[in-house]
Amino acid sequence: MQRRQIIVVGGGLAGTATALGFASAGFDTLLAAPKAPDDARSSAILGRCLAFIAELGVVDALGDRKAPLAVMRIVDDLQRLFRAPTVEFRASEVGLSAFGINALNGDLAKALEACIERTGNLEVRPLAARDLALSDDRAVVTLEDGTEIGADLVVAADGRHSAMREAAGIGSRQWRYPQTAIVLNVEHKRDHGSVSTEFHTRTGPFTQVPLPGRRSSLVWVEDPKLAELYVDLKPEKLETTIAEKMHWILGDVSIDGPISRFPLGGSRVNQMTSTRLALVGEAGHAFPPIGAQGLNLGLRDAEALVRLATESRDDPGSRLMLRRYEAARRGDVLSRTAGVDMLNRSLLMDFLPGQIARSGTLAAMGLVGPLRQFAMREGLVPGAGFVGLPRSVKKWIGGDEAGREGVEQERYGRH
C-alpha cells in the first residue's frame, strides 16, 4: 500500500490551497481531485486569508489579474419605512491600503496550479476518492481507480455533499433559502475606484465587487421565479436592469462572459473532525455569498489546520491536533454561519422591530468610528477586533514590504 503524510480530497480553491499549504510546510502531500469545471465567478480574499495565500506565492502568481478592495459600501435599498444610512468601511481607517483582493476563480485556480508545479513534495492525482477507512493508527483512502493510499491525516475538502464526510459518519444539517443567486461579470463606463458596493434589497443582496480595469463581478440574489425571467432577458434589457439596480453609480454596463444561477442554501456539520480526518471549506460549512465570507472561512480552516499540524509534526493526524483544530475553528464557523444566515433572513422579513434593529445597527456603524473599526478588524481576522490586526496582515496588505521574513515565524510559531 502506498503511503503519504497528508491526503487532501477535493480540488476546489480551499482544498488546493490546503494541499499547497501542507506541502509548503514540508509534509509529503497528495491532492486527490478530478479536474474542476471552469468557474467564471470571482472571490474576494481578505485579511489573514490573503496573507496565507500570499505566503504560498499565489498572489505573486496572480500578477495583475486581481483588483484591490479599498472600500466596502453597504446601501439600504429595501424601500421600507426605516431606511439605514449608507455605510462605508474604508481600509485606511484600520491602517491598511486595502482589505484584500478580488479575482476570478479561474485565475485563482491557475495561480494555485503554477505554485503547485514549483512544489516538490506535492503530488496531484486527477481522481475522485470513493471510499475511506479510519483507524487510530492511519486513514486509508481508496481512489476511483482502486488504488489504496494510507495517510496520517485526510483532509476532506470535497464540497457541501462531501463523500469523505459521509464515509466518516459526520452528520450535517442542510437548508434552503427561497432565493437564487445570479452570477455574472460586467464592464462599465466609470471606474470603480476599488470600491465594492452591496445593495440590500427585499430579495437579498445585490453585490458589485471590483475586477481589474473597468470591470466588476456581480452576485445578484433574487426571487427564483424572477431570476429565471431576468436571465432570459435580451442582453440590452438585462444590462439596463443591472445599471438601474446599481443606481447608475458605474454608468452604462455591458455583460462580460457567461451568466450562471444557482439556488441558495446552507449547511452546518456536527463536528469538524473525526479519527484521522479534518473537514475544510464547504465540507464543513456553507452559506449564501454575502459579505465575502465563504471562501475566506475555508481558507481560515486551511491556515489553522496547516499551522496546528506543523506544531504536531511527529503525528499530524493525532487526536490532540484534531481536538485543537476543532476548538480553534468552532467559534469562527458558528459565528459566521449564524451571522450570514441572520443578515440574509433579515432582508426577507417585514417584521418592524427587526427592521428597526437592523437599521439602527448600520446607523451606529456609520456614526461611531471605534465601532466601525472594530467591525472591520473583526471581519478581517476573527478576534482582532479587540487586540488589533496581526503582523502578517499588516505586512501583506498594509503596503509595508519590509520584514516579510518575520511573517513566517508568526504564522507557524517558530522563533
Side-chain angles (χ1 to χ4, degrees):
M1 179 185 297
Q2 301 176 38
R3 188 168 179 84
R4 299 289 189 276
Q5 287 180 289
I6 311 292
I7 298 176
V8 179
V9 177
L13 297 178
T16 306
T18 304
L20 182 60
F22 272 112
S24 298
F27 291 97
D28 182 15
T29 307
L30 172 71
L31 174 61
K35 182 174 175 57
D38 292 338
D39 188 349
R41 297 175 297 172
S42 73
S43 292
I45 303 178
L46 312 175
R48 175 159 257 161
C49 299
L50 183 60
F52 172 61
I53 66 166
E55 290 159 16
L56 301 177
V58 177
V59 175
D60 288 340
L62 269 173
D64 60 2
R65 295 172 294 170
K66 60 184 183 297
L69 302 176
V71 180
M72 293 187 175
R73 177 193 295 143
I74 296 178
V75 177
D76 187 334
D77 202 19
L78 292 167
Q79 300 177 355
R80 288 174 174 155
L81 180 61
F82 292 93
R83 180 178 180 181
T86 296
V87 181
E88 289 191 350
F89 299 92
R90 296 182 173 273
S92 58
E93 276 196 76
V94 290
L96 300 177
S97 60
F99 293 114
I101 61 169
N102 189 53
L104 294 175
N105 288 358
D107 290 334
L108 285 166
K110 290 176 183 175
L112 284 162
E113 289 172 8
C115 293
I116 286 172
E117 290 175 0
R118 299 194 293 266
T119 303
N121 53 331
L122 173 56
E123 179 188 0
V124 180
R125 295 197 190 183
L127 298 169
R130 72 180 189 193
D131 199 9
L132 173 68
L134 302 173
S135 63
D136 288 339
D137 61 336
R138 68 178 180 182
V140 177
V141 173
T142 303
L143 302 180
E144 61 183 343
D145 65 354
T147 303
E148 293 185 345
I149 307 173
D152 296 321
L153 174 67
V154 173
V155 181
D158 49 343
R160 68 177 65 191
H161 302 297
S162 169
M164 295 295 96
R165 183 190 66 219
E166 293 182 4
I170 298 176
S172 68
R173 185 173 75 87
Q174 311 276 338
W175 63 89
R176 292 287 186 188
Y177 297 99
Q179 296 163 296
T180 291
I182 305 171
V183 180
L184 70 158
N185 302 318
V186 296
E187 295 181 350
H188 36 78
K189 292 293 185 182
R190 297 176 187 164
D191 197 312
H192 49 56
S194 300
V195 178
S196 173
T197 303
E198 184 170 280
F199 297 90
H200 287 180
T201 77
R202 292 191 177 208
T203 57
F206 181 99
T207 307
Q208 165 266 328
V209 191
L211 288 171
R214 291 189 174 180
R215 299 168 60 236
S216 291
S217 57
L218 300 179
V219 179
W220 175 0
V221 178
E222 188 54 87
D223 174 272
K225 292 182 179 179
L226 288 176
E228 188 173 346
L229 294 174
Y230 281 131
V231 169
D232 288 338
L233 287 176
K234 292 183 178 180
E236 298 81 7
K237 178 61 177 175
L238 181 58
E239 290 165 353
T240 300
T241 301
I242 290 169
E244 289 174 347
K245 289 190 74 67
M246 287 197 291
H247 298 272
W248 300 93
I249 60 172
L250 297 176
D252 293 329
V253 304
S254 58
I255 296 169
D256 178 23
I259 303 171
S260 58
R261 67 181 189 270
F262 54 91
L264 291 192
S267 67
R268 188 173 63 195
V269 298
N270 300 328
Q271 59 197 63
M272 291 286 288
T273 62
S274 183
T275 303
R276 300 279 169 188
L277 177 77
L279 307 184
V280 162
E282 290 197 344
H285 43 74
F287 44 73
I290 297 173
Q293 290 299 312
L295 177 58
N296 285 279
L297 197 60
L299 291 175
R300 289 201 293 274
D301 294 341
E303 189 273 338
L305 186 59
V306 173
R307 172 171 47 82
L308 293 170
T310 302
E311 295 172 3
S312 182
R313 190 175 289 275
D314 289 344
D315 186 358
S318 68
R319 289 184 182 274
L320 176 59
M321 192 287 294
L322 290 166
R323 282 199 298 267
R324 293 181 67 197
Y325 176 66
E326 184 84 44
R329 299 304 301 139
R330 184 182 300 116
D332 187 19
V333 170
L334 287 177
S335 64
R336 303 297 160 139
T337 303
V340 169
D341 179 70
M342 185 182 303
L343 174 59
N344 189 43
R345 293 184 190 277
S346 75
L347 301 178
L348 301 176
M349 67 181 183
D350 291 318
F351 186 51
L352 186 58
Q355 294 177 34
I356 296 172
R358 179 188 162 280
S359 298
T361 299
L362 286 176
M365 291 282 187
L367 294 172
V368 183
L371 178 61
R372 185 172 59 252
Q373 292 155 20
F374 171 89
M376 286 188 279
R377 291 193 297 268
E378 194 66 25
L380 291 172
V381 180
F386 292 106
V387 301
L389 293 170
R391 186 178 176 188
S392 58
V393 173
K394 292 179 180 179
K395 295 296 182 185
W396 290 106
I397 311 178
D400 182 1
E401 299 291 329
R404 284 189 175 180
E405 59 194 35
V407 174
E408 198 71 15
Q409 292 182 349
E410 176 190 290
R411 181 174 162 223
Y412 292 117
R414 295 196 294 266
H415 299 283

